[in-house]
Amino acid sequence: MKDQIRPALTMVLLLTVLTGLTYPLTVTGLAQVFFPDQANGSLILREGKVVGSRLIGQYFDKPEYFWSRPSATAPFPYNAAASGGSNLGPTNPVLIDAVKTRVAALRTADPGNALPIPVDLVTASGSGLDPHISPAAALYQAKRVARARGLDENSVLTLVSKHTEGRQFGLLGEPRVNVLMLNLALDALTAEPVSR
Amino acid sequence: MTANGLVQIALFFGVLIALVKPLGWYMARVHEGKSCGLDRVLGPVERSLYRICGIRSNEEMTWKTYAVAMLLFNGFGLLALYLLQRIQGVLPLNPQAFGAVAPDLAFNTAASFTTNTNWQAYGGESTMSYLTQMMGLTVQNFVSAATGIAILVAFIRGLARRSSQTIGNFWVDLVRSTLYILLPLATIVALLLVGQGAVQTFDAYHTARFAQPVHYEKPVTDGTGQTSFDEHGKPKMEPAIEHHQILAVGPASSQVAIKHLGTNGGGFFSVNAAHPFESPTPFTDFLLILAETLLAASLTYTFGVMVGDTRQGWTILTAMLAVLLVFMLGGYLAESDGNPRIATLGADHTPSDIQPGGNMEGKETRFGIARSVIFAAATTATSTGAVDSMHDSFTPLGGLVPLFLMQFGEVILGGVGSGLYGMLVFAIIAVFIAGLMVGRTPEYLGKKIEPYEMKMASLLILIMPIVVLGLTAVASVTTAGTASILNPGPHGLSEILYAYTSQGNNNGSAFGGLNANTVFYNTTGGLAMLASRFWLAVPTLALAGALARKTSAPTGSGTLPTHTPLFVVLLIGVVLLVGGLTFVPVLALGPIVEHVLMMS
């Protein structure tokens, strides 16, 4: 018993240095050399200022923007300093009411739209920071966005398909559209001076 | 269910099985003390560790000394992690200036990470400094996994050796697992993660300007910071506007890599692998699932090599993977079908090439249904407990899958090391039951199974259900327990059951709606985690010691061969029977009742 105390104490200390300092510092060093953009958060810079991350969604509820998925982070949606899901169970009345409200909001913003509402657009993501919506959810909103911006629907659809990613390696995960990147591209499109 | 989803499931099993033999062979070399290639580079580090600690690496230990060394090492580790959390406020690498972690939460977290559970009653990005994440949590991710492997190889030596008093040297097993297996693999996985977009930086959190400012309602507070309430007892709300998004970053990838390889599961961020900075792409999701199953699966081959019959290892692995496949498919079916109560509100949940469909509450778009379910099954079949989707929002039967997989005692792959030693105990019980049927003395791998072995084995399968069901019962009937529930009805019971199942099996995943950061849950949960890890580890080592002392029983015509399809069936039968008989009644009151309610 007694002769194991010294090895136990020293070993805790040495393995802490090895796995708690040497290892993360080595990985950080290599990451910062080989993948500096990714390692620092895939930041989007405009005029030297951070306007977001390509990997973290933002909240949109104006008709001229594509809306992201509902977010359950507190105290406001898409709070990237405190990720979180709703954790509401499938039979919880709070969940059912929330979905009802979201369906109503989408229908009010676009009364003539007869397309079915994709389920991902009315359910909160796991992280509360989901940067993506499904292509179906983007198509559902294209007409509204075009109308609100005075654009022709086809140019909006072209932009959507430009921001649509397929399954990774054609196999993994699901097809998706990055909402923030799409909306920033829309803003850039509208801000561009009309040529000719 | 879609064809693509089934192909993604098949791909996971295919790649995993293909890696079992090479990695299992490599780990056998490491633990038989043979040259493994990496020792040419890291050999000096290994030898200087022994020298500084005063360890004579060629001296073997009896099971008692082995257990003492293991307990002391983990005890000091627990203490160090507790202290680090308590004083993080005055230590460096704390750019967000987080204060000391509360005593009950610090105890729960220290118990959680030293027991390879990684239950988290805190949100990483809002509680822990970079230093605590690295020098506390990451360290335990490594050494708790290495401890699991050490106990396993000691147990295998017990089975493999004849008339031996010793079962190896704990320090050597610990150091070699860490240096030659965990560190190199973690470095590779971490860099693959960063390449895809996972963060690895010591910068403070970034501030971004929202493209569209967020209007929301926030609770009104009075002068002292207390929330004000209206006459109905509801908090008063006022409109607020937020212009900035704080992007939490940190040295995440290095920790994420080992939390999966070591079946730990504790996320750097609150939502774990659902967070885009932990798992940014479907490929990283695939990689993390592979990482968390890789060592547990490959160790079955290591076991085969070390007992001199690789068929024995494949038999165990077949039983594990068969159960996992069935549960994974069941979960996939339940989640694909979606939530009928939401479908009637006008949400379309039919899967297609342009939308995932199904039950998307709590799931990420990039993962969809298939990846979320593969993850949920793999993370609970192994004792990882990381999540890429919120299990609390799964359909009742979809949520039953992870719950039930844990309740088998984390032996369907299970924790690194601990899963296989748990499963070998079930193998001993299986030969015992088969022996009773034909009236012969049971044997496993040439070792006679006698009353002492059966006593230890019975202890090993009885402790967990007593801890889990006992604490669930207490929490269900006390205000301290029920006050934390988020979801009403039978789902509330499922939340409590999940919490103690997870902690009582060292898994660490949660039905996250339950508010677990209370003195009651932190304390009872912490004790459950310590009991199920160390109270099981000691009898396992005792069993190893007893088996090592035995001579070999010659194989006779009445010996049950343990490498046949028949034994696979027998082993699965025993695991399902023990788990099922113990937990089906309480599952009927939770998820099963909720399913019936949801469909009615």
Side-chain angles (χ1 to χ4, degrees):
Chain A
M1 168 92 189
K2 267 197 211 128
D3 23 329
Q4 300 302 329
I5 292 179
R6 183 187 148 208
L9 273 173
T10 339
M11 196 57 94
V12 168
L13 207 71
L14 292 179
L15 288 183
T16 298
V17 172
L18 193 65
T19 62
L21 272 183
T22 316
Y23 160 72
L25 291 179
T26 308
V27 172
T28 310
L30 293 170
Q32 291 291 339
V33 168
F34 291 106
F35 311 108
D37 173 48
Q38 293 95 317
N40 293 311
S42 309
L43 301 176
I44 311 167
L45 298 172
R46 291 283 184 275
E47 291 154 8
K49 291 218 171 89
V50 180
V51 297
S53 161
R54 293 194 302 280
L55 295 176
I56 304 289
Q58 292 191 7
Y59 180 75
F60 296 98
D61 64 352
K62 290 188 183 163
E64 67 266 31
Y65 283 118
F66 283 90
W67 297 359
S68 303
R69 295 187 61 194
S71 158
T73 61
F76 56 88
Y78 287 89
N79 178 4
S83 56
S86 75
N87 282 311
L88 295 173
T91 56
N92 192 328
V94 179
L95 172 69
I96 310 302
D97 286 345
V99 174
K100 255 184 219 163
T101 313
R102 292 163 190 161
V103 169
L106 283 163
R107 293 223 164 112
T108 315
D110 192 7
N113 195 341
L115 290 170
I117 300 176
V119 68
D120 58 295
L121 205 50
V122 293
T123 46
S125 63
S127 62
L129 307 173
D130 195 342
H132 301 113
I133 53 177
S134 66
L139 295 180
Y140 178 85
Q141 304 183 66
K143 206 171 260 172
R144 185 197 74 221
V145 172
R147 199 168 51 235
R149 287 183 177 256
L151 289 168
D152 121 72
E153 197 190 337
N154 276 335
S155 61
V156 173
L157 286 176
T158 313
L159 214 53
V160 168
S161 72
K162 230 173 92 181
H163 286 85
T164 304
E165 273 177 86
R167 295 200 163 97
Q168 204 169 6
F169 317 127
L171 179 67
L172 295 176
E174 296 291 330
R176 57 208 183 274
V177 178
N178 188 310
V179 182
L180 177 60
M181 298 308 284
L182 175 61
N183 283 334
L184 290 176
L186 269 173
D187 278 350
L189 189 74
T190 324
E192 262 172 33
V194 183
S195 51
R196 277 175 301 179
Chain B
M1 287 173 115
T2 63
N4 169 269
L6 296 174
V7 171
Q8 294 197 53
I9 291 177
L11 185 76
F12 157 66
F13 279 98
V15 175
L16 177 66
I17 292 167
L19 290 170
V20 163
K21 187 172 169 180
L23 187 62
W25 174 84
Y26 172 82
M27 289 194 287
R29 306 265 318 169
V30 169
H31 285 295
E32 286 176 333
K34 295 179 181 161
S35 172
C36 62
L38 269 179
D39 49 353
R40 285 188 208 153
V41 189
L42 295 172
V45 180
E46 185 191 352
R47 286 186 291 276
S48 53
L49 282 174
Y50 300 147
R51 201 171 49 245
I52 301 169
C53 297
I55 293 161
R56 283 179 293 273
S57 59
N58 53 354
E59 256 178 36
E60 290 232 335
M61 299 172 171
T62 62
W63 80 263
K64 281 181 185 152
T65 314
Y66 202 99
V68 165
M70 185 273 293
L71 289 173
L72 281 174
F73 175 74
N74 281 278
F76 289 135
L78 186 142
L79 204 62
L81 179 52
Y82 178 83
L83 290 175
L84 186 59
Q85 294 176 78
R86 297 290 295 142
I87 57 169
Q88 69 169 9
V90 297
L91 293 176
L93 281 178
N94 184 9
Q96 302 312 122
F98 294 131
V101 180
D104 59 318
L105 180 58
F107 160 70
N108 183 278
T109 307
S112 174
F113 278 72
T114 34
T115 56
N116 199 256
T117 311
N118 293 29
W119 171 267
Q120 294 170 291
Y122 62 89
E125 68 267 47
S126 52
T127 316
M128 299 293 177
S129 75
Y130 292 168
L131 190 80
T132 308
Q133 300 256 28
M134 277 165 49
M135 292 195 69
L137 306 181
T138 302
V139 171
Q140 284 303 325
N141 281 351
F142 275 100
V143 298
S144 66
T147 299
I149 299 180
I151 297 170
L152 171 69
V153 291
F155 189 79
I156 296 174
R157 290 190 195 109
L159 283 166
R161 289 180 177 179
R162 311 283 175 240
S163 317
S164 167
Q165 293 300 316
T166 59
I167 55 171
N169 182 313
F170 173 72
W171 304 115
V172 174
D173 293 337
L174 178 79
V175 167
R176 291 182 72 89
S177 298
T178 308
L179 269 188
Y180 300 133
I181 299 171
L182 297 172
L183 269 174
L185 281 174
T187 308
I188 296 169
V189 172
L191 289 174
L192 286 171
L193 289 173
V194 184
Q196 290 284 305
V199 292
Q200 181 73 24
T201 172
F202 289 106
D203 284 350
Y205 297 176
H206 299 293
T207 304
R209 200 171 168 82
F210 273 128
Q212 181 212 296
V214 178
H215 295 266
Y216 67 104
E217 300 263 296
K218 73 170 184 195
V220 181
T221 50
D222 58 20
T224 59
Q226 296 291 314
T227 309
S228 311
F229 293 92
D230 63 16
E231 63 273 22
H232 304 294
K234 286 188 173 172
K236 281 189 201 162
M237 304 298 271
E238 63 182 358
I241 184 161
E242 185 60 50
H243 290 280
H244 293 97
Q245 187 179 40
I246 307 291
L247 295 163
V249 292
S253 300
S254 51
Q255 185 170 335
V256 173
I258 186 60
K259 79 150 155 124
H260 284 263
L261 281 165
T263 61
N264 304 280
F268 189 90
F269 299 105
S270 177
V271 291
N272 215 297
H275 200 295
F277 281 158
E278 277 201 38
S279 181
T281 64
F283 171 67
T284 54
D285 190 72
F286 174 85
L287 183 68
L288 294 180
I289 296 170
L290 185 66
E292 73 199 19
T293 46
L294 187 59
L295 292 181
S298 304
L299 282 167
T300 60
Y301 191 84
T302 309
F303 156 69
V305 173
M306 288 177 77
V307 298
D309 182 0
T310 51
R311 295 172 307 177
Q312 303 290 344
W314 288 115
T315 306
I316 302 272
L317 184 64
T318 308
M320 289 173 167
L321 294 186
V323 176
L324 175 58
L325 177 65
V326 169
F327 274 80
M328 200 181 273
L329 289 174
Y332 186 34
L333 194 64
E335 290 304 292
S336 304
D337 279 353
N339 182 345
R341 296 208 175 171
I342 286 182
T344 55
L345 302 176
D348 176 23
H349 66 201
T350 323
S352 73
D353 279 342
I354 54 168
Q355 69 157 346
N359 175 25
M360 282 299 285
E361 180 70 27
K363 295 192 181 67
E364 298 285 292
T365 311
R366 62 192 181 283
F367 303 146
I369 304 297
R371 294 232 63 80
S372 299
V373 172
I374 300 173
F375 200 113
T379 199
T380 48
T382 66
S383 77
T384 310
V387 294
D388 78 346
S389 56
M390 300 300 118
H391 294 183
D392 210 350
S393 296
F394 275 29
T395 60
L397 296 185
L400 181 140
V401 165
L403 193 49
F404 212 177
L405 277 170
M406 291 186 287
Q407 288 168 343
F408 294 131
E410 289 298 5
V411 296
I412 311 301
L413 293 175
V416 169
S418 61
L420 184 52
Y421 66 66
M423 192 57 149
L424 291 173
V425 169
F426 271 105
I428 288 174
I429 292 166
V431 294
F432 174 74
I433 290 175
L436 286 184
M437 288 185 213
V438 292
R440 290 197 51 116
T441 312
E443 295 155 22
Y444 186 58
L445 303 176
K447 295 290 173 94
K448 271 206 180 96
I449 305 303
E450 289 168 302
Y452 181 77
E453 287 77 48
M454 278 316 294
K455 272 183 207 157
M456 288 299 129
S458 312
L459 206 56
L460 287 168
I461 60 167
L462 284 174
I463 288 170
M464 183 276 283
I466 291 170
V467 170
V468 170
L469 291 174
L471 288 173
T472 302
V474 171
S476 304
V477 297
T478 51
T479 327
T482 54
S484 288
I485 291 175
L486 172 73
N487 289 293
H491 200 98
L493 175 66
S494 303
E495 285 184 342
I496 295 177
L497 176 66
Y498 199 106
Y500 288 114
T501 299
S502 173
Q503 295 178 88
N505 285 286
N506 298 132
N507 180 275
S509 66
F511 269 11
L514 186 83
N515 173 22
N517 189 12
T518 65
V519 173
F520 175 79
Y521 278 103
N522 278 334
T523 313
T524 52
L527 294 174
M529 291 187 275
L530 290 171
S532 70
R533 177 74 168 184
F534 299 114
W535 201 359
L536 296 191
V538 174
T540 303
L541 287 171
L543 194 51
L547 289 167
R549 279 193 298 273
K550 287 175 188 282
T551 53
S552 184
T555 311
S557 59
T559 306
L560 175 75
T562 52
H563 59 266
T564 58
L566 177 70
F567 190 71
V568 172
V569 175
L570 186 65
L571 185 56
I572 293 175
V574 171
V575 171
L576 293 187
L577 199 69
V578 172
L581 284 179
T582 318
F583 288 105
V584 163
V586 68
L587 289 172
L589 294 173
I592 295 173
V593 168
E594 194 190 7
H595 175 74
V596 175
L597 283 174
M598 186 180 79
M599 303 312 283
S600 62

